[in-house]
Amino acid sequence: MSYLILSIVILLIGILGIILNRSNLIIMLMCVELVLLASTILLLFESRVLYTLSGQIFAIMILTVAAAESAIGLAIMVNYYRLRGTIAVRAINLLRG
Amino acid sequence: MYLLIILIPLLSAVGSGLGGRYLGGKGAGLLTSVWVMASCFISLILCYEILINGSPVYIELGRWIESDLLMTNFGLQFDMVTAVMLIVVTTISGLVHIYSTSYMREDPHLPRFMSYLSIFTFFMLVLVTSNNYVQLFIGWEGVGLCSYLLINFWFTRIQANKAAIKAMLINRIGDIGLILAIILIWKEFGVLDYCSLFSTVSSSSTCTWICLFLTIGAAGKSAQLGLHTWLPDAMEGPTPVSALIHAATMVTAGVFLIIRSAPLFDHSPTATIIVGLVGSLTAFFAATVGLVQSDIKKVIAYSTCSQLGYMIMACGTYNCLSSLYHLLTHAFFKALLFLGAGSIIHSLLDEQDLRKMGGIIRSLPLTYILMLIGSLSLAGFPYLSGFYSKDLILELTYNSYCLISIYWLASITAFLTAFYSFRLIYLSFVAKPNLTLMSAQHLQESDWNLLGPLLVLGVGSILVGYIAQNMVFAPGLRPLPFAPTIISLAPVIMSVTGILLVFILSPYIIYYVSRPSLYGFLFYAWEFNQIANYYIGSTVWKFGHTVSYLTIDRGILEILGPTGIARLLIDRTRDISRLQSGLLFNYALIILVGAALALNYLLVN
């Protein structure tokens, strides 16, 4: 049960970090990592409780996806920094409707 | 031949209107004059057949409107009333055509003018020869149209434009009356041609309403009190137009309508008394205004208005034939007066102001004699044509059993008529010269194209009254008024007094208006124009601007319609597009909220 609460708390921290963060794009990426971490913890906990392996398989898949995502995300961020000289989130609003 | 009399003016108008550029001014004048005179001779032959040999003709031409309840045919009816009107219309029109070829010689648009005159003659003939009310209405509207075109002939003058629009609009009020009358006739009796209608007519309250609407129609066209203001303004048109349309023919269409509808009026005493009152008041009003006018054409225009009042009044005493008789004689002497005034104006280099005339008796003796004949005839001097018809109407009015005030108004009018017609003669011919040097040097009689019609009309003004009295009042049924000797003599005494009074009062009969006074009140025609402009014109204008235009058209309808909907769509889309701020965390929030809502929806269901 405490694992469940832990994963939900991490998920909420990640989500709030994405929404409330105004300054830095790196924090946003880290928060995405937190969300993925929370889901991984939840999957592992579930595989432990239900005695199945599929949870762990999914956890490994998510680790892979998370690694790839952070790699691509960082690459985008670096490119963005080269272009604009800043990675503040509040500055990324040129595509408003 | 019966069709020919109508078609000749039409063909003449088409020929002169469409072929004017090939014919030129002289050619168009010759063509239309000859053809309309031909029509005039045909009408004389027809009058011999209809009036003297007593053979009315009824021609059915074809079907026009045909539905279950309404049948209207094209048809012609040549009876006594039509025959008299034919003489009036074609004779005056023919003479005016000839007159115009001289009077309008310098005008570059003479073919157009002659075409308008001819098409006017055509519409007038359609009006008088029709055998039903709907076909009458064609002619009725047609002459209104021609009146507009002819007043507006010199279309570069702003006054002419305004006068033409005024004439059209005020006539339109009368036309609405006529349309309502026609609709009511159809509703009440189900037929619109005269023969069927007058054989089925019966007394009812609807009949009174029909007659009242017909009276409104006649008041609009014949310039009766209240709807008369267009007639003096119509003097902006060329003088031949004033003679043809606004003195002799078109304005008598209203009288013709009442004469034609006499069987209806016989069934409605109320409407008949109203007609008599309206006529007598108009006669009195116009005569008082005519006393002080300084424009020579306006004096004659108001006298026309006054004489039309006489005719309408005669209809109001159940004596439509005497009204028709006065119409006939009036057409001759009024056309003579107008054309004579045109001759004076022409000789004085287009000077219309009586105050700038005087003393032209030596230079224009023939015009003087003819104007004198016309004025004496208008004043009802014994043995001229006006005497026969006007005295008859006055005595019949005394004799009739409705209001005696009508008689007194008419008598005073007879006196005033004599006064203002001789005031005109005095001021233009006899008084001390007040001309400009330029016009005094050029003063001479015009050519014979201009004077010939005047001579014919002069002879007509002398003889027509005597000749026609046994023709109009079919076989020897001239109404014999029973009046005391003093009443029979009264009109002659009145008119002679009026004539003499001019020479007694001669130093005082011209006057310059400087301040509000009785003179100014009469000079501005009882302030009718001002009252109508202020209380009706500007009120309607304001209503149209604020209510119809600003509140409804550009207000409610615009908001409910295009502008309002467009603004709504634009505002809402702007709001929605503002939702997309470009900031990532807002998108993330929207995604999460959306996901939560979707999850909630799924879980609840």
Side-chain angles (χ1 to χ4, degrees), chain B residues 51-112:
Chain B
L51 287 178
I52 294 175
N53 293 346
S55 59
V57 176
Y58 194 86
I59 304 171
E60 281 291 343
L61 289 179
R63 289 165 181 176
W64 182 15
I65 303 169
E66 205 171 349
S67 76
D68 285 346
L69 299 171
L70 176 64
M71 282 271 289
T72 306
N73 295 335
F74 283 114
L76 303 180
Q77 177 179 346
F78 291 86
D79 59 0
M80 192 203 64
V81 181
T82 304
V84 174
M85 288 300 285
L86 279 184
I87 294 228
V88 170
V89 174
T90 54
T91 312
I92 306 295
S93 180
L95 293 174
V96 167
H97 273 79
I98 296 172
Y99 180 90
S100 303
T101 56
S102 165
Y103 189 86
M104 305 285 284
R105 183 180 292 141
E106 279 85 20
D107 198 289
H109 300 291
L110 189 60
R112 180 164 65 91

Side-chain angles (χ1 to χ4, degrees), chain A residues 83-95:
Chain A
L83 281 174
R84 299 284 305 274
T86 176
I87 49 167
V89 181
R90 73 166 73 84
I92 312 176
N93 63 348
L94 291 177
L95 287 177

